[in-house]
Amino acid sequence: MATGVVWPLALSLVVGAIGLFATKMIKSRLIFYKLKKQGLPMPPWSFAAGHLMTLPPLLEKLPLGSQQSDAFSLLSCDFVDTDGCFYVDVWPFGNSLLVITSPELAVQACQKYDLPKPEVLVPFFAPIAGGPNLFVMNGAEWKRSRALFNTGFSEKGMLECMPHVLEEAEVYVSILREHARKGDTFSLDKITCDYMMDVIGAVTINARLHSQSRHNELAAALRSSLEWHFQEEEMNPFKRWNPIRPIVEWNNGRIMNRYINFELEKRYKAWKSNNHTLTKSVMDIAIETYMKERKTSDKLDSRFKTWATTQIRLFLFAGHDSTAAAIVYSLHMLFKHPKTLAKIRAEHDNVLGGDLDSAAQVLKQHPHYINQLPYTTAVIKETLRLFPPASGMRGGLPGVFLQDKNGHKFPTENLSLWIVHSAIQRNPNYWPDPHSFLPERWLVEPGHPLHPPKGGWRPFEYGPRNCVGQTLAMLDIKVTLAMMVREFDVKDQYDEWDRMHPTTGIKTVYGERAYQVPQGAAHPVHGFPCKVSFREKGNAA
């Protein structure tokens, strides 16, 4: 009896799943059939496979595990007549895409039309943030949410957080000193992620996580989810849809929510007991702003707490992950270019005192000095140009067409617009010598051949939806370089890594061994194995 019911039910489910798959496939393919008939730019396409057959030959030109965006950057070279803009059908591994690799078209998508964030981002960010968040919200909901955090992430607010940043930076430097004494090889990316987690914890929720020195369940849960989540770019379906993954992500989310909820209640109680004033962490400012028009109660409003927990999870992710990678790449670029290293050390000597370890004390007394380091800022911006932590995504709309400098028009309806930052920021039509590390680009006047193109630098996006935390990120990176580069020398150990892990095949992207891989934000492959040594006094570079 039971068997007689189960088999028809199972068959119905299978037929339904096949029908749903076929319906979605036909819908996606018809979009591209119409685009192709209009003569719009795209690689060779078929109704059965879309553009899936285009990807393997591209991936063969890149190291195993590198970013898919690098493959699309290579593909953009085939579409120079349309300024690198083209359509790609990668269903069922992703949405129908309009790929954008030029500053002009990116400005149209993100500023002129301010296109919405697409629905496809919601499930992508769900395991990280746990719900609707600033990154995926649109319209009035986004404006209300952004307004609650603007003050907390302002330049003035971030300078007030300087003691927190310096406190964690001193722990980071002490760890580097220990590695310098031992002379061992270690992952710079790993310890920098721990460091930035401690910084963003202090700045965002006013709590010391101590993840640099011991286990912290909030930090561990977030990093675990990121380690599982980067498989979004995995083409192997058995890895991409591992059944264990949602269980791990659910448990990590439970741990993060519990931890943040406790901290929220603690800060709310502190707000009540201090006559409705608090020290100015981002969480404190959000609580104060929210409570201005509400009556005080014994506990924080549950709806606000749920909403705030989601935003804080997003901030913890974005505030530590991409910033850590930017710090590692900034150090890598400096120590690959001795002349640049000598210039930045000279700037730090001039502004922060001549002693190798004077930065922390000077910045404690004069935090605004951090904004008097133009060459350091140029180094960071050039590093982020070459190694942006992510790309942008927008959703197309009916009647919205982008237009390139040659007059070609590109419909956006029913498409996700993938704004590939790495391709835009290395586009040779806009950046002279695009693959070279030239901090001077950021110090020349408009009209100079090296001067950056409008809308061409997008690590924090550009326009109304730019990153709310970019001031904090730049502060963190500048403080770290000020504390580090005069005391230490850093040397990557990829030669040692390759000897210990021999493989065949391509090992560089754009000639760079420390190429980017997707692990939340884009991080240096293998965690950037390196050795740190003490710089000898009197050594200019």
Side-chain angles (χ1 to χ4, degrees):
M1 184 79 175
T3 303
V5 174
V6 170
W7 281 109
L9 179 60
L11 181 61
S12 297
L13 290 173
V14 170
V15 171
I18 293 173
L20 180 62
F21 183 90
T23 300
K24 289 185 175 181
M25 173 182 170
I26 292 170
K27 182 180 179 181
S28 176
R29 297 293 190 254
L30 284 176
I31 291 171
F32 275 83
Y33 176 75
K34 294 174 183 177
L35 294 171
K36 184 175 174 62
K37 284 193 69 175
Q38 295 175 55
L40 291 164
M42 64 177 70
W45 178 85
S46 72
F47 199 93
H51 290 123
L52 293 180
M53 301 309 295
T54 301
L55 291 179
L58 289 171
L59 294 174
E60 288 176 1
K61 299 177 181 180
L62 297 165
L64 186 65
S66 62
Q67 302 181 103
Q68 286 185 24
S69 58
D70 290 330
F72 286 99
S73 295
L74 291 177
L75 187 56
S76 70
C77 298
D78 296 338
F79 299 95
V80 291
D81 291 340
T82 56
D83 210 11
C85 183
F86 55 95
Y87 294 87
V88 178
D89 179 2
V90 291
W91 193 89
F93 293 99
N95 275 25
S96 304
L97 294 174
L98 172 57
V99 179
I100 294 172
T101 64
S102 84
E104 292 185 9
L105 294 174
V107 166
Q108 291 175 44
C110 297
Q111 291 170 265
K112 180 179 179 179
Y113 298 110
D114 190 16
L115 291 171
K117 294 296 183 79
E119 285 294 318
V120 67
L121 292 176
V122 174
F124 180 84
F125 277 93
I128 298 169
N133 58 80
L134 270 173
F135 200 89
V136 303
M137 291 174 181
N138 288 300
E141 182 186 24
W142 172 78
K143 288 181 180 179
R144 286 193 302 269
S145 298
R146 174 85 178 225
L148 278 175
F149 290 108
N150 279 336
T151 302
F153 282 106
S154 67
E155 184 170 343
K156 179 177 181 293
M158 290 302 94
L159 281 180
E160 290 176 356
C161 291
M162 180 71 82
H164 292 310
V165 179
L166 290 171
E167 187 173 32
E168 302 301 346
E170 287 178 316
V171 176
Y172 181 64
V173 168
S174 69
I175 292 171
L176 291 173
R177 286 172 181 155
E178 183 61 29
H179 282 294
R181 293 185 192 101
K182 292 191 292 187
D184 62 340
T185 298
F186 64 99
S187 168
L188 186 60
D189 190 62
K190 167 64 172 63
I191 70 165
T192 309
C193 282
D194 291 339
Y195 160 45
M196 280 294 103
M197 182 66 78
D198 283 349
V199 169
I200 196 65
V203 171
T204 303
I205 62 176
N206 205 357
R208 292 206 69 187
L209 304 183
H210 298 288
S211 57
Q212 294 188 85
S213 55
R214 59 176 182 260
H215 175 82
N216 176 274
E217 63 175 357
L218 174 62
L222 179 54
R223 292 305 306 172
S224 171
S225 285
L226 293 177
E227 288 167 7
W228 282 85
H229 200 52
F230 79 89
Q231 295 178 17
E232 281 291 336
E233 295 207 9
E234 175 61 60
M235 296 300 288
N236 184 331
F238 296 103
K239 293 183 179 179
R240 186 184 180 99
W241 291 302
N242 187 328
I244 298 175
R245 176 177 156 191
I247 299 171
V248 173
E249 291 175 337
W250 170 83
N251 187 54
N252 288 334
R254 182 183 61 85
I255 293 169
M256 287 187 278
N257 288 347
R258 183 181 63 204
Y259 196 109
I260 295 168
N261 269 266
F262 175 79
E263 294 296 334
L264 274 166
E265 287 292 355
K266 188 166 69 174
R267 299 312 302 158
Y268 179 64
K269 289 177 182 177
W271 175 78
K272 288 195 302 179
S273 63
N274 286 280
N275 296 318
H276 298 181
T277 60
L278 283 171
T279 53
K280 300 300 183 182
S281 73
V282 172
M283 180 191 287
D284 294 334
I285 292 172
I287 290 173
E288 287 185 358
T289 305
Y290 178 77
M291 293 304 299
K292 281 180 181 178
E293 300 176 359
R294 290 164 178 83
K295 293 182 180 180
T296 304
S297 58
D298 291 338
K299 289 188 176 182
L300 196 57
D301 177 75
S302 61
R303 288 174 299 177
F304 173 76
K305 190 159 64 172
T306 299
W307 172 88
T309 298
T310 300
Q311 311 319 314
I312 290 165
R313 280 175 58 171
L314 178 72
F315 293 151
L316 290 171
F317 157 61
H320 94 280
D321 193 57
S322 56
T323 309
I327 288 170
V328 175
Y329 275 118
S330 295
L331 292 169
H332 180 45
M333 288 293 98
L334 282 170
F335 288 95
K336 279 184 69 174
H337 298 87
K339 291 182 179 179
T340 303
L341 179 61
K343 288 181 181 179
I344 199 172
R345 283 173 167 170
E347 179 176 77
H348 293 177
D349 286 345
N350 183 51
V351 176
L352 302 172
D355 293 335
L356 301 186
D357 58 355
S358 62
Q361 191 59 39
V362 171
L363 290 173
K364 286 175 184 177
Q365 296 175 1
H366 308 284
H368 61 281
Y369 281 12
I370 200 67
N371 294 322
Q372 297 177 14
L373 301 171
Y375 193 74
T376 302
T377 301
V379 165
I380 297 167
K381 294 184 80 169
E382 182 69 351
T383 300
L384 286 169
R385 182 186 72 83
L386 293 172
F387 303 100
S391 292
M393 187 74 75
R394 294 298 177 101
L397 292 175
V400 174
F401 295 78
L402 306 185
Q403 182 171 324
D404 70 8
K405 60 186 179 182
N406 298 316
H408 300 109
K409 291 187 176 181
F410 307 98
T412 67
E413 184 176 2
N414 296 319
L415 297 161
S416 292
L417 282 64
W418 190 13
I419 303 161
V420 184
H421 292 173
S422 56
I424 291 172
Q425 295 177 178
R426 292 177 183 257
N427 189 324
N429 295 327
Y430 296 88
W431 299 91
D433 204 1
H435 304 305
S436 295
F437 179 70
L438 299 172
E440 289 70 25
R441 297 181 201 272
W442 307 99
L443 301 171
V444 297
E445 296 294 326
H448 190 284
L450 281 180
H451 192 266
K454 179 183 177 182
W457 189 74
R458 315 188 69 86
F460 301 110
E461 253 311 336
Y462 202 84
R465 295 298 296 261
N466 62 0
C467 175
V468 69
Q470 62 182 295
T471 301
L472 173 61
M474 291 297 291
L475 174 71
D476 291 340
I477 304 168
K478 284 190 281 188
V479 166
T480 306
L481 297 185
M483 296 275 287
M484 269 199 64
V485 297
R486 292 185 298 166
E487 183 170 352
F488 302 103
D489 290 318
V490 179
K491 177 70 172 67
D492 77 76
Q493 296 297 304
Y494 280 106
D495 289 344
E496 178 185 329
W497 175 276
D498 290 338
R499 286 194 300 271
M500 295 179 65
H501 306 85
T503 59
T504 58
I506 298 170
K507 290 187 174 68
T508 64
V509 176
Y510 299 120
E512 176 57 66
R513 180 64 182 87
Y515 60 86
Q516 294 175 290
V517 294
Q519 291 179 341
H523 287 259
V525 68
H526 311 314
F528 196 82
C530 75
K531 287 186 177 180
V532 172
S533 58
F534 291 109
R535 173 196 176 198
E536 293 184 10
K537 291 187 177 181
N539 180 11

